[in-house]
């Protein structure tokens, strides 16, 4: 976007762009979200920044009225496959808190000086400033959502001292931590509670079908899911964790909500923290080492794709006649992420060329190779096995063709030995070069891993059987013909691109709609509330 496109967005108070850029006003010394309800500043007084960290470094403070740190993050870090996008995914996962700038640079293959120069040029701030802004955002979330002691908030957000925490909050928000806590729209949970409960901001509309996607794949003892909730245990860098995400509150959106309703409007922070039109996404953390809290928050957001821009995605997908009806029935469809990249690769390999139910059975058996959780609760008492546990003991629990078992164990051994590195900082070409040479891994697996681990938005799994079935169900009047279109279930006379390039760069979301459509033929579909519950059962 150029300057005037952004200026028109702030003049319209377009909520779609909240978190995607920041508006700094020289005459006031503050920076705002695009939808800030304050009077639109004069163009000559405005500077736009890609990140809040860049605004901080330029000497601006956050607006107390619109609280720009309270909005969802930008989807740009998944759209971008450059160093800046890869670095931001790792910074959000807490890599700088754990390994410092040198550790971040090493993962990306650059020196710390090179990385600082690249990020400053691309994003307007260096890695330390970007990490500081991420800590400030986590601190604000904890201050307004919980009754944690201020010292606990400081260390949970990643600050090395209470003094650093106080100084950063004061510089960013122009308030003390106590004053910032007093701005909460909701009363924090009682201090006696042993669990942390946080609202997860997201952009509307939001399709809850992602809960069903996760529920039908849930491994007993490790995960549990329903049409509106998901819980699991998880291994994090400093210890085990357990959490639940629930889709709660009144559903005012209704079936077939028009995504255009969400384009503009004067929305305050509460709208993102719970949605005045829709439901709240509530994260309850039953157990976690406070040092792992930023990583957990980031990974849960990635799992539910909460930084997506659903209006932009739906607009592009609805332009394709094969997808328009599905988009109208399920606006705001999300692409599930991954809580653990290594685990996701193992699950993808197990699930190749078999049904979801069969994959779940195989993974339930493999889970016996894992360890008990150090923080059991609510029927969840195990952890998904580490790669080294699978490499050593997996053969005892795996069933099926010998070649497939050997391939899976070889991949697990490579992960355990560090010969294969897989993480949020990868890009699509890197995943291809790492994974395709491995026995038992083909383009489908690489594409699926890219969708879920790095959030690659433009992957189309054209050879997937459920995708082909979804195309047929969404276009029942189109008979299979010949040529390239026939390979995807389309007639040779169909004018749309068989690989859905017309909806690029959102083909991963087209894949999600096609998986959804594969569950129920068009003639048998029911309103959204029923469809999204059953649809995930056909998603491969």
């Amino acid at each position: 976007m150029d300057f005037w496109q952004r200026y028109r967005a702030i003049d319209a108070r377009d909520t779609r762009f909240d978190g995607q850029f920041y508006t700094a006003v020289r005459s006031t010394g503050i920076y705002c979200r695009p939808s800030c309800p304050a009077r639109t500043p004069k163009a000559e007084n405005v500077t736009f920044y890609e990140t809040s960290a860049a605004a901080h470094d330029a000497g601006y403070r956050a607006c107390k009225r619109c609280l720009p740190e309270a909005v969802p993050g930008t989807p740009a870090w998944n759209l971008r496959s450059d160093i800046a996008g890869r670095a931001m995914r790792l910074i959000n996962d807490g890599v700088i808190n754990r390994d410092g700038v040198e550790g971040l640079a090493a993962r990306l293959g650059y020196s710390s000086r090179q990385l600082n120069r690249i990020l400053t040029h691309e994003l307007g701030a260096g890695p330390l400033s970007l990490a500081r802004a991420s800590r400030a955002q986590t601190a604000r979330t904890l201050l307004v959502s919980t009754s944690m002691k201020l010292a606990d908030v400081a260390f949970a957000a990643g600050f090395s001292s209470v003094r650093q925490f106080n100084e950063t909050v004061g510089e960013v928000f122009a308030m003390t931590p106590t004053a910032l806590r007093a701005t909460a729209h909701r009363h924090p949970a009682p201090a006696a509670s042993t669990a942390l409960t946080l609202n997860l901001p997201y952009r509307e509309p939001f399709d809850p079908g992602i809960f069903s996607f996760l529920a039908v794949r849930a491994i007993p003892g490790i995960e549990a899911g329903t049409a509106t909730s998901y819980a699991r245990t998880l291994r994090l860098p400093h210890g085990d964790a357990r959490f639940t995400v629930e889709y709660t509150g009144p559903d005012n959106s209704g079936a077939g909500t028009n995504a255009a309703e969400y384009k503009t409007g004067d929305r305050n922070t509460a709208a993102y923290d719970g949605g005045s039109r829709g439901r709240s996404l509530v994260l309850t953390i039953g157990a976690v080492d406070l040092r792992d809290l930023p990583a957990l928050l980031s990974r849960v957001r990635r799992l539910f794709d909460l930084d997506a821009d659903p209006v932009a995605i739906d607009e592009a997908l609805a332009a394709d006649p094969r997808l328009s009806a599905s988009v109208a029935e399920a606006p705001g469809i999300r692409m599930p992420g991954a809580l653990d990249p290594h685990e996701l690769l193992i699950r993808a390999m197990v699930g190749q060329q078999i049904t979801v139910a069969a994959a779940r059975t195989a993974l339930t058996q493999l889970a016996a190779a894992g360890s008990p959780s150090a923080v059991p609760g609510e029927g969840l008492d195990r952890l998904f096995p580490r790669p080294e546990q699978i490499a050593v003991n997996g053969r005892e629990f795996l069933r099926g063709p010998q070649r497939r078992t050997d391939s899976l164990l070889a991949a697990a051994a490579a992960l355990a030995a560090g010969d294969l590195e897989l993480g949020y900082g990868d890009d699509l070409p890197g995943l291809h070069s790492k994974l395709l040479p491995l026995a038992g891994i083909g383009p489908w697996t690489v594409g699926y891993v890219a969708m879920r681990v790095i959030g690659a938005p433009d992957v189309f799994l054209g050879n997937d059987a459920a995708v082909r079935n979804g195309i047929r169900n969404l276009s029942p009047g189109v008979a299979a013909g010949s040529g390239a279109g026939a390979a995807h279930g389309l007639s040779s006379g169909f004018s749309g691109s068989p690989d859905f390039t017309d909806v690029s760069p959102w083909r991963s979301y087209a894949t999600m709609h096609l998986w959804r459509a594969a569950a129920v033929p068009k003639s048998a579909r029911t309103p959204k509330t029923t469809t999204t519950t059953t649809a995930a059962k056909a998603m491969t």
Side-chain angles (χ1 to χ4, degrees):
M1 299 177 69
D2 62 23
F3 178 91
W4 290 109
Q5 287 173 321
R6 290 179 172 179
Y7 190 79
R8 286 193 292 271
I10 68 169
D11 192 41
R13 293 169 176 76
D14 194 330
T15 60
R16 291 181 300 170
F17 299 103
D18 286 354
Q20 300 193 45
F21 65 85
Y22 297 85
T23 306
V25 185
R26 284 188 289 275
S27 57
T28 62
I30 65 171
Y31 70 92
C32 305
R33 64 169 80 173
S35 68
C36 182
R39 185 176 63 183
T40 304
K42 295 180 179 179
E44 58 265 29
N45 292 331
V46 169
T47 302
F48 293 114
Y49 291 98
E50 296 289 333
T51 63
S52 62
H56 300 163
D57 283 0
Y60 294 94
R61 292 184 174 182
C63 174
K64 294 181 180 180
R65 184 171 182 182
C66 70
L67 293 175
E69 306 291 346
V71 301
T74 175
W77 313 138
N78 290 339
L79 278 167
R80 297 176 64 155
S81 59
D82 59 2
I83 294 300
R86 294 168 59 197
M88 285 304 301
R89 293 199 294 268
L90 291 171
I91 289 171
N92 290 337
D93 194 52
V95 167
I96 287 183
N97 293 345
R98 298 191 295 270
D99 304 328
V101 175
E102 292 289 344
L104 173 66
R107 293 193 185 205
L108 296 170
Y110 287 82
S111 70
S112 57
R113 179 177 296 180
Q114 288 175 312
L115 182 62
N116 185 74
R117 184 169 62 250
I118 291 170
L119 294 183
T120 300
H121 174 73
E122 293 289 331
L123 305 179
L128 284 176
S129 295
L130 293 166
R132 180 172 177 260
S134 179
R135 294 183 195 118
Q137 187 171 19
T138 300
R140 179 211 163 267
T141 298
L142 296 176
L143 285 170
V144 303
S145 301
T146 76
S147 293
M148 291 173 63
K149 296 179 180 179
L150 296 184
D152 289 339
V153 170
F155 294 113
F159 292 100
S160 58
S161 68
V162 175
R163 179 179 178 179
Q164 185 187 64
F165 161 69
N166 288 332
E167 289 177 350
T168 298
V169 170
E171 290 173 8
V172 173
F173 301 107
M175 286 186 278
T176 65
T178 301
L180 183 57
R181 170 165 278 170
T183 67
H185 290 280
R186 295 172 176 81
H187 296 293
S193 174
T194 58
L196 293 177
T197 300
L198 309 170
N199 284 339
L200 299 173
Y202 63 90
R203 295 181 180 89
E204 294 178 329
F206 177 84
D207 178 66
I210 190 171
F211 284 98
S212 294
F213 182 101
L214 298 171
V216 298
R217 291 163 175 74
I219 302 172
I222 297 174
E223 304 168 280
T226 70
T228 57
S229 68
Y230 175 74
R232 74 160 287 168
T233 59
L234 179 66
R235 185 183 294 107
L236 291 170
H238 295 101
D240 299 348
R242 190 182 73 255
F243 71 88
T244 302
V245 176
E246 295 177 285
Y247 191 49
T248 65
D251 185 3
N252 300 321
S253 59
T257 303
N258 184 353
E261 295 176 9
Y262 299 98
K263 286 185 181 179
T264 60
D266 183 0
R267 298 173 65 186
N268 58 20
T269 305
Y272 286 109
D273 287 340
S276 58
R277 292 188 180 101
R279 296 179 173 182
S280 298
L281 278 173
V282 179
L283 169 65
T284 302
I285 303 172
V288 70
D289 186 305
L290 289 181
R291 293 171 294 178
D292 287 326
L293 190 56
L296 178 60
L297 293 175
S298 174
R299 295 187 190 190
V300 170
R301 293 194 63 80
R302 292 191 65 81
L303 178 66
F304 287 92
D305 197 16
L306 299 184
D307 293 332
D309 182 354
V311 171
I313 295 167
D314 287 354
E315 285 181 347
L317 299 186
D320 190 303
R322 294 165 292 183
L323 298 171
S324 57
S326 183
V327 172
E329 292 170 2
I333 202 167
R334 292 313 207 260
M335 180 173 62
L339 291 167
D340 184 323
H342 291 181
E343 174 188 323
L344 195 281
L345 176 61
I346 298 299
R347 296 177 77 140
M349 293 183 70
V350 169
Q352 292 176 126
Q353 299 180 338
I354 60 175
T355 66
V356 171
R360 184 188 187 196
T361 298
L363 288 165
T364 299
Q365 294 169 343
L366 181 61
S371 307
S373 171
V375 289
E378 301 177 356
L380 305 178
D381 56 5
R382 299 195 64 79
L383 296 167
F384 192 86
R386 298 175 182 268
E388 53 265 34
Q389 293 173 318
I390 295 173
V392 173
N393 302 315
R395 193 176 298 276
E396 177 183 351
F397 303 102
L398 292 169
R399 302 290 181 267
Q402 183 71 31
R403 181 177 297 179
R404 185 172 66 188
T405 298
D406 291 343
S407 298
L408 198 151
L409 294 179
L415 289 170
D419 298 330
L420 173 61
E421 295 183 0
L422 182 68
Y424 302 117
D426 281 311
D427 57 13
L428 190 54
L431 289 177
H432 276 276
S433 64
K434 290 179 181 181
L435 298 179
L436 282 179
L438 301 181
I441 294 182
W444 182 93
T445 306
V446 176
Y448 185 75
V449 169
M451 288 173 65
R452 298 204 56 186
V453 172
I454 64 174
D458 201 30
V459 174
F460 182 69
L461 303 178
N463 291 326
D464 184 273
V467 166
R468 295 196 299 269
N469 290 337
I471 294 174
R472 294 188 185 100
N473 287 349
L474 288 176
S475 307
V478 181
S482 59
H488 299 282
L490 301 173
S491 71
S492 58
F494 186 78
S495 59
S497 58
D499 57 357
F500 284 80
T501 54
D502 294 341
V503 303
S504 183
W506 308 118
R507 292 188 297 166
S508 297
Y509 294 88
T511 298
M512 296 301 300
H513 275 283
L514 295 171
W515 278 339
R516 174 183 178 275
V520 184
K522 188 173 182 179
S523 60
R525 285 191 203 149
T526 53
K528 175 186 173 185
T529 52
T530 301
T531 303
T532 52
T533 301
T534 60
K537 297 181 180 179
M539 297 179 185
T540 302

